[in-house]
């Protein structure tokens, strides 16, 4: 560039110095150019090399004019370079419509019409005037079935208020929405507003007719038919509302239902509506066996109007034929008039099967083309199959094979599953492996081969399954897996191993293949072989998935529940996250006997789940927490309800049960109200759960009122049964309101509810609790009148009543009667009830005699038996015997003491003033990983107050509240402060009693104040008047 600039300067100077000497100037210029070239020769050389290289490399990739893939933009300003979406496109696009998301969110709250009007007005106020009508129309179009009557009314009110422009599409959408929500009055009033010619259109006319048909107003439909007639006269294929043929079919259906066929035919003649579309729709609606006479009327009308019947009309006539002879004549007429189509043949085959007529079937077969349609072939195969009209008196399988070889072999199409099986059945029974191989090979889709194989597996025909499997020339993983499934379902492990070996040799085994084989081993109880297959899977480059681990977990939970957690750990270590099935299996293992940490680990598995929570899993979590008694974990789990959309009444039942276990009556009513507001019809189980939850929490009258309220609902009334009332009976009985028990029983009889043995056992238990044993004989008579025999529970309840009434001799007489009846063998409950009766009156020797009788009868004692035996020793003033009998029975029957037995042992110690031994018992209890409950602390706190031990009272309260300063003996035995916290909390009255007792003898004035502050900070339920009472004592 420097050389070029210098050249320009030189030329300019020469022109100025010698303006008239052209030759000299030219020579000077030439000399200067040559100097420049000589100075720039290196640059020129590089440029020439670059040109040559480009030519050699890219000579085959030339750019031709007019073939550029880059489209030229239209000549317009940059502001208009990107096309803005039209209001109509934005309204139809859910992401672009500013109304859709807020209105959808508001509809989930079931708002009033005024609230919807306010929201729509506010949102539309931020949009341009010209776009508003289109946005509202788009909103109604996007919501479709989510539209409510209030929303359509709100849109109508907003349209009036804002005076929309160009609202033709909105008017159509409003009419459609009124039809959708079945709002006839609103539809008619809005249609009246659109009746002006300037506002009407063909689409509106069609919608007006559609509305009349939908609402069943046939007279209005005929009145509106002239306005919509042009749609059929022009024979258009589609309209904004529906295809004309579909709408006319709806009108025809309504006319036939209300016996208005003559009027419809008159309207069709008057408005020139006799064409192929309308007539085929009319024939189709009349094409039923019970409408033959009406169909004849339509046929005569068509003849009068000069309409030539189409093949579709012939199909309707054949379908409605009253007998086989008529069907034969109709098919012959179709042959003569050259209207014999594949649809006519299919209808003829169906009629032949319906009338079981061989002549009609042979006529159809006679006119079957060499290459029939799949539908016709399907019908004829069924006619030839066993039980079909063509198979009468001959070998049906041979007939099927003949038909197959004549018309279907090599046709290249498949049939419906039933017809495909007919061919396979015939080939299998006749040993025609060639036909079977040809037919299975003709099923080009693997899914159809799998479906055929599974149909035989379902009938336990494993040999035929194997024949089909062998007939398939190309084996695939899905086909192999289907064969393995058949082996597993039929319990043939040897054949399954053979198929598995072939799959491995052919290298088609996939993860499903391995999982199916693992399932086969697990069903046979061979866990070791299943585990070996998992290792083989890994060696083959396949990673076990959730299905693999779920199969292993399900087997382990049934056989060895203690080994489940090791498998869960292996699953997590492999990076395989649990799914819903995994969580369901783990939660299923949770029971009343589960340890606290096992329940927590089960919930940790749920937390690690990759998939979102659903309502089925939420219900499983609730039930697991209730079964295990872990109400402390239940409340946190119920927070998940906010993240799960509950749609089933069963899940609401589990949630309501959970709130009942948490003693949260307000949430019980909230869950019930939410279910009813969302128009979810409760089931008997849901109603029973709600009644039980209310009754168990002292709201028995409210539960009764709920039942009476539901009895007023005709839809719900049939769901109220004796089981629901039984919860009510128990609620009144447990609260000793026995007058209401008998009143409810009379109400049940008045409602003609069928009582069960459970109902009568509840009533007998109420008699025992109330001491009204005189009511039992008439109760037994009612049972006999209803054909219900007393069972073991009935007798046990009566024995309980006699024990509570002090009539032990009568109770033992009833026990002897039970022993003489082979159908009434006394069980653990019966014996425990008698031991408890002996404990009431300190009859130690007789109670131990019952225990001996119990064990001699082969009934093993349980923890409940131990608890009443400890109670027997305590009431009989034999504390040492309580410990001795526990040790003997635990050693003999391998029992592990539960919290109730430990509590009774502590009570025995405190009742006999053996305070140190009470602490020895709780220390043993904690070492055996048994969590104390509120009764444990109530017994120990009362004993500590009686012993005037301020350190023990403070340590026990702090241990129960999980605050620093827990009792050292308890903390040392438990190993962690968390294990000392009772799962059901402390009783408020026990805390008040302990603090007030401590204040009476405590020498440290600040101790009570500090304890009160610590307990309040830990969330312990306290009597609000307790601080005032403590201050008064100071």
């Amino acid at each position: 560039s420097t050389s070029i600039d210098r050249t320009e300067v030189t030329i300019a100077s020469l022109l100025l110095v010698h303006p008239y000497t052209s030759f000299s100037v030219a020579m000077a210029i030439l000399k200067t150019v040559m100097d420049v070239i000589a100075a720039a020769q290196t640059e020129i050389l590089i440029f020439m090399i670059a040109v040559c290289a480009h030519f050699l490399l890219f000579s085959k990739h030339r750019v031709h004019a007019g073939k550029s893939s880059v489209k030229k933009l239209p000549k317009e300003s940059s502001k208009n370079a990107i096309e803005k979406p039209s209001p109509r496109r934005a309204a139809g696009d859910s992401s672009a419509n500013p109304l859709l998301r807020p209105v959808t969110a508001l509809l989930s709250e079931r708002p009033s019409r005024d609230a919807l009007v306010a929201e729509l007005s506010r949102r539309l106020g931020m949009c341009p005037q010209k776009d508003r009508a289109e946005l509202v129309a788009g909103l109604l179009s996007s919501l479709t079935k989510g539209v409510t009557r209030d929303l359509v009314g709100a849109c109508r009110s907003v349209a009036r208020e804002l005076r929309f422009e160009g609202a033709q599409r909105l008017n159509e959408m409003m009419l459609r929405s009124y039809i959708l929500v079945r709002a006839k009055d609103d539809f008619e009033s809005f249609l009246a507003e659109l009746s002006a010619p300037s506002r009407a259109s063909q689409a509106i006319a069609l919608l007006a007719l559609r509305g009349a048909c939908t609402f069943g107003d046939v007279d209005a439909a005929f009145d509106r038919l002239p306005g919509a007639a042009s749609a059929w006269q022009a024979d258009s294929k589609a309209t904004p509302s529906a295809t004309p043929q579909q709408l006319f079919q709806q009108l025809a259906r309504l006319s036939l239902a209300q016996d208005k066929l003559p009027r419809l035919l008159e309207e069709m003649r008057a408005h020139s509506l006799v064409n192929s579309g309308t007539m085929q729709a009319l024939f189709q609606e009349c094409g039923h066996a019970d409408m033959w006479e009406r169909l004849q009327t339509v046929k005569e009308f068509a003849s009068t109007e000069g309409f030539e019947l189409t093949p579709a009309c012939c199909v309707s006539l054949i379908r409605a034929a009253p007998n086989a002879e008529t069907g034969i004549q109709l098919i012959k007429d179709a042959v003569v008039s050259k209207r014999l189509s594949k649809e006519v043949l299919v209808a003829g085959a169906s009629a032949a099967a319906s009338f079981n007529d061989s002549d009609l079937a042979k006529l159809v077969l006679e006119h079957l083309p060499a290459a029939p349609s799949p539908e016709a072939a399907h019908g004829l195969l069924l006619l030839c199959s066993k039980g079909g009209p063509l198979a009468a008196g001959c070998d049906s399988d041979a007939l099927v094979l003949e038909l197959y070889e004549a018309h279907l072999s090599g046709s290249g199409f498949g049939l419906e599953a039933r017809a495909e099986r007919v061919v396979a059945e015939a080939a299998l029974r006749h040993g025609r492996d060639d036909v079977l191989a040809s037919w299975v090979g003709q099923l080009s889709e693997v899914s159809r081969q799998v479906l055929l194989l599974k149909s035989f597996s379902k009938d336990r025909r494993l040999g035929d399954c194997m024949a089909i499997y062998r007939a398939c020339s190309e084996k695939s993983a899905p086909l192999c897996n289907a064969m393995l499934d058949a082996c597993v379902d039929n319990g043939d492990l040897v054949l399954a191993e053979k198929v598995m070996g072939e799959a491995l040799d052919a290298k088609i085994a996939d993860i499903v293949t391995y999982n199916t084989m693992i399932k086969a081993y697990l069903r046979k109880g061979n866990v070791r072989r299943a585990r070996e297959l998992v290792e083989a899977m890994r060696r083959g480059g396949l990673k076990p998935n959730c299905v693999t681990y779920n199969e292993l977990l399900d087997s382990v939970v049934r056989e060895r529940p203690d080994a489940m957690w090791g498998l869960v750990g292996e699953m997590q270590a492999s990076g395989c996250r649990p799914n819903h099935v995994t969580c369901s299996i783990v939660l299923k293992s949770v029971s009343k006997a589960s340890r606290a940490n096992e329940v927590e680990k089960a919930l940790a598995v749920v937390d690690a789940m990759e998939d979102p929570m659903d309502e089925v899993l939420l219900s499983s979590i609730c039930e697991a927490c209730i079964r295990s008694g872990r109400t402390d974990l239940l409340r946190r789990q119920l927070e998940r309800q906010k993240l799960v959309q509950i749609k089933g009444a069963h899940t609401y039942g589990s949630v309501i049960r959970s709130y009942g276990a948490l003693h949260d009556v307000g949430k019980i009513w909230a869950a019930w109200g939410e279910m009813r507001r969302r128009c979810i019809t409760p089931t008997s189980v849901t109603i029973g759960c709600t009644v039980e939850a209310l009754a168990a929490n002292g709201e028995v009258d409210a539960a009764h009122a709920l039942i009476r309220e539901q009895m007023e609902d005709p839809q719900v009334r049939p769901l109220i049964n004796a089981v629901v009332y039984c919860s009510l009976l128990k609620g009144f009985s447990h609260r000793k309101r026995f007058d209401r028990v008998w009143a409810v029983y009379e109400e049940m009889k008045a409602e003609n509810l069928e009582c069960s043995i459970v109902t009568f056992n509840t009533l007998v238990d109420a008699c025992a609790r109330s001491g009204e044993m005189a009511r039992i004989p008439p109760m037994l008579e009612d049972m006999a009148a209803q054909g219900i025999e007393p069972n073991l529970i009935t007798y046990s309840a009566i024995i309980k009543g006699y024990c509570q009434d002090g009539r032990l001799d009568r109770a033992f007489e009833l026990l002897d009667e039970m022993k003489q009846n082979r159908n009434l063998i006394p069980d653990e409950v019966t014996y425990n009830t008698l031991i408890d009766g002996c404990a009431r009156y300190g009859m130690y020797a007789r109670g131990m005699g019952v225990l001996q009788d119990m064990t001699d009868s082969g009934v093993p004692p349980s923890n409940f038996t131990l608890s009443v035996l400890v109670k027997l020793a305590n009431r009989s003033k034999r504390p040492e015997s309580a410990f001795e009998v526990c040790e003997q029975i635990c050693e003999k029957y391998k029992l592990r003491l539960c919290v109730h037995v430990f509590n009774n042992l502590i009570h025995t110690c405190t009742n006999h003033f053996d305070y140190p031994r009470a602490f020895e018992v709780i220390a043993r209890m904690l070492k055996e990983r048994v969590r104390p409950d509120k009764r444990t602390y109530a017994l120990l706190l009362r004993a500590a107050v009686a012993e005037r031990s301020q350190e023990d009272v403070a340590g026990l309260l702090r241990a129960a509240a999980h605050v620093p300063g827990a009792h050292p003996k308890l903390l040392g035995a438990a190993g962690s402060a968390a294990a000392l916290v009772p799962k059901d909390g402390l009783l408020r009255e026990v805390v008040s009693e302990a603090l007030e007792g401590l204040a009476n003898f405590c020498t440290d004035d600040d101790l009570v104040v500090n304890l009160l502050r610590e307990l309040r900070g830990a969330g312990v339920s306290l009597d609000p008047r307790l601080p005032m009472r403590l201050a008064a004592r100071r």
Side-chain angles (χ1 to χ4, degrees):
S1 60
T2 305
S3 300
I4 294 172
D5 292 340
R6 188 162 59 248
T7 303
E8 291 176 353
V9 173
T10 305
I11 294 171
S13 64
L14 288 171
L15 289 173
L16 289 173
V17 175
H18 306 285
Y20 304 105
T21 310
S22 58
F23 178 76
S24 299
V25 170
M27 292 302 293
I29 292 172
L30 181 60
K31 183 178 182 297
T32 303
V33 170
M34 294 302 293
D35 291 340
V36 170
I37 292 172
Q41 59 184 351
T42 303
E43 288 88 344
I44 292 172
L45 180 61
I46 293 172
F47 175 73
M48 293 302 295
I49 292 171
V51 169
C52 293
H54 183 275
F55 178 79
L56 292 173
L57 294 173
F58 303 108
S59 60
K60 295 181 180 180
H61 303 281
R62 299 179 181 178
V63 179
H64 300 281
K67 294 185 179 181
S68 174
S69 60
V70 180
K71 296 182 180 179
K72 294 183 179 180
L73 291 173
K75 296 181 180 180
E76 55 183 347
S77 65
S78 60
K79 292 182 180 180
N80 298 323
I82 299 176
E83 182 185 359
K84 295 182 179 179
S86 67
R88 182 161 188 151
R89 190 184 307 166
D93 183 4
S94 60
S95 61
N97 194 327
L99 300 179
L100 184 59
R101 182 173 294 179
V103 171
T104 302
L106 185 60
L107 285 174
S108 65
E109 302 173 4
R110 301 182 63 84
S112 64
R113 182 174 298 189
D114 293 339
L116 287 167
V117 170
E119 180 67 13
L120 285 171
S121 300
R122 185 174 70 84
R123 296 282 176 177
L124 289 170
M126 297 183 283
C127 302
Q129 174 72 22
K130 60 184 179 61
D131 298 344
R132 292 174 179 173
E134 200 61 48
L135 289 172
V136 176
L139 171 68
L140 295 173
S141 177
S142 299
L143 289 174
T144 56
K145 292 185 178 181
V147 171
T148 65
R149 184 170 184 170
D150 285 336
L151 176 61
V152 186
C155 292
R156 183 175 177 182
S157 300
V158 170
R160 288 174 180 169
E161 179 184 343
L162 300 181
R163 298 181 180 179
F164 288 162
E165 299 176 0
Q168 179 63 31
R169 181 167 176 261
L170 175 60
N171 293 337
E172 295 175 19
M173 288 308 306
M174 292 281 288
L175 288 173
R176 287 183 187 175
S177 300
Y178 278 132
I179 293 172
L180 189 65
V181 298
R182 297 293 192 270
K184 180 181 179 181
D185 294 339
D186 294 334
F187 176 86
E188 295 296 340
S189 64
F190 186 72
L191 184 64
E193 295 177 6
L194 304 178
S195 59
S198 60
R199 303 181 70 181
S201 66
Q202 187 186 64
I204 298 295
L206 286 169
L207 284 167
L209 177 58
R210 178 184 167 193
C213 293
T214 302
F215 298 127
D217 192 344
V218 67
D219 293 327
F222 287 139
D223 293 341
R224 294 166 187 173
L225 185 59
S230 59
W232 294 284
Q233 292 166 354
D235 198 22
S236 66
K237 294 183 179 179
T239 69
S241 75
T243 60
Q245 187 170 353
Q246 290 173 334
L247 182 56
F248 192 86
Q249 201 167 335
Q250 191 176 1
L251 175 61
R253 189 180 307 124
L254 179 65
S255 301
L256 290 169
Q258 299 190 16
D259 293 328
K260 297 287 185 178
L261 179 60
R263 171 81 184 275
L264 176 61
L265 298 178
E266 290 175 8
E267 295 290 340
M268 290 175 65
R269 181 185 291 113
H271 302 295
S272 303
L273 294 181
V274 181
N275 55 46
S276 61
T278 56
M279 292 304 294
Q280 285 181 180
L282 188 54
F283 268 90
Q284 184 175 348
E285 283 304 311
C286 295
H288 303 288
D290 57 342
M291 290 191 178
W292 176 250
E293 293 182 0
R294 296 182 181 184
L295 197 57
Q296 290 300 106
T297 302
V298 174
K299 184 180 178 182
E300 292 173 3
F301 171 77
S303 177
T304 303
E305 295 297 316
F307 175 77
E308 185 176 349
L309 298 184
T310 64
C313 298
C314 294
V315 168
S316 298
L317 286 166
I318 293 171
R319 286 177 178 170
N323 49 56
E325 291 74 15
T326 305
I328 292 172
Q329 187 59 49
L330 288 170
I331 290 180
K332 288 180 179 179
D333 292 345
V335 172
V336 172
S337 60
K338 298 182 179 180
R339 291 194 294 266
L340 188 66
S341 64
K342 65 177 183 180
E343 292 81 9
V344 174
L345 286 174
V346 171
S350 177
S354 176
F355 296 118
N356 197 24
D357 187 84
S358 58
D359 293 334
L360 180 54
K362 289 175 182 177
L363 180 62
V364 173
L365 185 61
E366 178 184 339
H367 291 91
L368 187 69
S373 67
E375 296 83 4
H378 173 267
L380 285 168
L381 278 172
L382 297 182
L383 292 177
C384 297
S385 64
K386 188 175 182 180
L390 290 176
C394 64
D395 187 349
S396 60
D397 292 335
L399 197 60
V400 168
L401 293 174
E402 181 183 347
L403 177 64
Y404 170 77
E405 292 177 324
H407 296 283
L408 302 180
S409 179
S411 61
F413 60 74
L415 304 172
E416 293 185 14
R418 185 182 171 192
E420 289 177 352
R421 174 156 174 162
V422 167
V423 177
E425 288 267 18
L428 286 167
R429 280 196 284 261
H430 275 248
R432 293 291 301 275
D433 295 339
D434 56 331
V435 173
L436 184 63
S438 171
W439 178 235
V440 173
Q442 192 170 315
L443 305 178
S444 56
E445 297 177 5
V446 176
S447 60
R448 288 164 58 194
Q449 295 175 346
V450 170
L451 187 63
L452 179 64
L453 192 149
K454 285 185 175 180
S455 70
F456 283 91
S457 174
K458 191 175 181 181
D459 293 340
R460 303 289 180 183
R461 294 169 61 177
L462 187 58
D464 291 336
C465 290
M466 198 63 190
I468 294 170
Y469 179 70
R470 296 295 184 209
C472 296
S473 57
E474 294 185 8
K475 305 295 190 296
S476 62
L479 187 65
C480 172
N481 297 336
M483 189 62 225
L484 276 176
D485 266 329
C487 295
V488 173
D489 292 340
N490 288 273
D492 195 333
L493 186 59
V494 175
L495 185 58
E497 289 177 330
K498 184 177 180 180
V499 174
M500 179 71 181
E502 293 175 0
L504 290 173
D505 294 339
K507 296 182 179 180
I508 59 173
D510 60 7
I511 188 72
V512 178
T513 315
Y514 279 98
N515 286 338
T516 306
M517 200 65 210
I518 288 169
K519 179 172 68 175
Y521 284 125
L522 292 174
R523 285 195 178 181
K524 293 293 184 180
N526 196 341
V527 180
R528 181 188 60 79
R529 189 70 186 90
R531 297 289 295 182
E532 289 175 356
L533 201 57
V534 173
E535 296 305 319
M537 183 193 310
R538 290 194 176 102
R539 289 194 299 272
L542 295 173
K543 185 179 179 181
N545 61 7
C546 265
V547 178
T548 314
Y549 285 110
N550 290 342
E551 291 289 349
L552 292 169
L553 277 171
D554 193 46
S555 174
V556 167
V557 165
R558 290 196 305 267
E559 304 296 334
R560 293 177 53 203
D562 55 320
M564 179 184 69
W565 297 113
L567 195 56
V568 170
E570 179 186 333
M571 179 181 182
Q572 293 171 341
S574 68
C576 182
R577 300 184 66 178
N579 59 12
H580 287 85
V581 178
T582 317
C583 297
S584 297
I585 294 170
V586 173
L587 290 170
K588 184 173 63 176
S589 71
V590 175
S591 65
K592 189 175 181 180
S594 298
R595 297 181 181 181
N597 64 332
E598 291 175 342
V599 183
E600 292 163 6
K601 285 196 291 186
L603 295 178
V605 173
V606 177
D607 292 334
M609 184 178 63
E610 186 175 10
D611 302 327
M613 171 80 70
D614 63 6
E615 62 174 308
V616 176
L617 190 55
L618 174 64
S619 178
S620 298
I621 292 172
C622 292
E623 296 298 332
C625 290
I626 293 171
R627 280 198 310 271
S628 62
R630 290 301 303 272
T631 54
D632 55 321
L633 300 174
L634 192 55
R635 190 174 297 278
R636 179 171 62 86
Q637 298 301 324
L638 284 172
E639 292 298 320
R640 295 170 180 259
Q641 182 191 354
K642 300 175 182 177
L643 306 175
V644 178
Q645 185 178 6
I646 301 179
K647 299 178 181 179
H650 175 76
T651 309
Y652 272 111
S654 296
V655 170
I656 289 170
R657 280 194 69 209
S658 301
Y659 284 125
L662 291 171
H663 310 297
D664 194 336
V665 176
K667 290 291 181 65
I668 293 172
W669 283 117
W672 173 267
E674 178 184 315
M675 179 185 69
R676 298 303 279 154
R677 283 193 303 273
R678 294 179 62 188
C679 301
I680 297 175
T681 303
T683 63
S684 294
V685 175
T686 313
I687 298 171
C689 288
T690 309
V691 171
E692 183 180 9
L694 291 171
N697 285 278
E699 300 290 328
V700 194
D701 291 310
H704 190 198
L706 177 67
I707 291 177
R708 297 312 306 169
E709 178 185 338
Q710 300 309 305
M711 293 287 277
E712 299 297 325
D713 186 343
Q715 187 178 7
V716 180
R717 183 184 178 89
L719 304 175
I720 307 296
N721 53 32
V723 178
V724 176
Y725 266 97
C726 199
S727 298
L728 202 62
L729 293 171
K730 290 179 182 177
F732 283 126
S733 176
H734 290 176
R735 276 153 189 80
K736 302 188 183 303
R737 298 176 60 183
F738 301 108
D739 56 328
R740 296 299 306 276
V741 172
W742 316 129
V744 169
Y745 177 51
E746 293 300 324
E747 181 180 314
M748 293 172 67
K749 291 196 291 185
E751 295 289 348
N752 294 320
L753 294 179
E754 185 177 350
C755 296
S756 65
I757 185 63
V758 178
T759 311
F760 284 108
N761 287 342
T762 304
L763 291 168
V764 170
D765 183 70
C767 294
R769 289 173 179 271
S770 64
E772 299 185 55
M773 301 300 290
R775 288 183 178 269
I776 288 182
M779 198 75 64
L780 295 175
E781 291 177 3
D782 287 349
M783 291 176 66
Q786 297 187 32
I788 299 175
E789 289 289 333
N791 62 8
L792 187 60
I793 299 174
T794 316
Y795 278 92
S796 296
I798 297 173
I799 288 174
K800 176 184 174 182
Y802 285 135
C803 289
Q804 290 179 345
D805 202 29
R807 299 165 63 183
L808 287 178
D809 292 337
R810 185 69 187 96
F812 278 99
E813 288 175 7
L814 196 57
L815 176 65
D816 293 335
E817 292 178 14
M818 293 173 65
K819 290 179 180 180
Q820 294 172 5
N821 189 334
R822 293 181 179 180
N823 297 324
L824 295 172
I825 301 174
D827 64 354
E828 181 198 336
V829 176
T830 310
Y831 287 113
N832 289 343
T833 302
L834 283 166
I835 296 173
D836 187 62
C838 294
R840 285 173 173 269
Y841 302 100
M843 302 169 65
Y844 184 79
R846 196 162 191 182
M848 295 304 292
V850 174
L851 175 64
Q852 186 63 46
D853 190 8
M854 176 181 182
T855 55
D856 290 344
S857 300
V859 179
S862 67
N863 262 300
F864 188 82
T865 313
L866 280 177
S867 68
V868 292
L869 286 171
V870 173
K871 178 181 174 182
L872 173 65
N874 184 16
R875 295 281 184 92
S876 303
K877 298 182 171 42
R878 302 182 63 165
E880 286 299 330
S881 298
F883 288 90
E884 291 172 2
V885 74
C886 284
E887 295 300 330
Q888 292 169 3
I889 291 179
C890 284
E891 182 179 356
K892 183 176 180 180
Y893 294 97
K894 308 302 180 187
L895 293 178
R896 179 173 171 264
L897 298 185
C898 70
V899 64
H900 305 294
V901 180
F902 278 118
N903 284 344
N904 280 2
L905 286 172
I906 291 172
H907 188 210
T908 301
C909 295
T910 58
N911 198 37
H912 291 83
F913 309 105
D914 195 348
Y915 184 62
R917 195 169 188 179
F919 270 88
E920 291 176 7
V921 172
I922 191 172
R924 175 188 170 185
M925 174 181 179
L926 294 169
K927 287 178 182 177
E928 294 184 12
R929 298 292 182 265
V930 178
R931 186 187 292 266
D933 62 7
K934 57 188 177 184
R935 182 167 179 251
T936 313
Y937 280 102
L939 292 168
L940 289 171
L941 282 169
R942 286 176 178 136
V945 170
E947 288 290 319
R948 305 177 69 84
S949 175
Q950 62 187 34
E951 292 81 6
D952 288 345
V953 173
L956 288 168
L957 285 172
R958 285 170 174 153
H962 200 194
V963 296
H967 199 291
K969 290 183 180 180
L970 273 62
L971 190 57
S976 68
L980 299 175
V981 181
K983 57 186 177 182
D984 46 3
L986 285 172
L987 291 172
R988 178 187 292 186
E989 57 270 21
V990 171
V991 177
S992 300
E993 183 182 342
L995 287 175
E996 290 183 59
L998 181 62
N1000 288 334
F1001 63 82
C1002 184
T1003 57
D1004 186 353
D1005 294 338
D1006 296 330
L1007 179 59
V1008 177
V1009 176
N1010 291 337
L1011 279 172
L1012 185 63
R1013 184 179 63 254
E1014 292 169 7
L1015 294 174
R1016 184 183 287 118
V1020 176
S1021 178
L1022 298 172
D1023 187 342
R1025 293 173 293 181
L1026 178 60
M1028 187 179 298
R1029 294 202 299 269
L1030 292 174
R1033 290 177 183 274
R1034 296 182 65 190

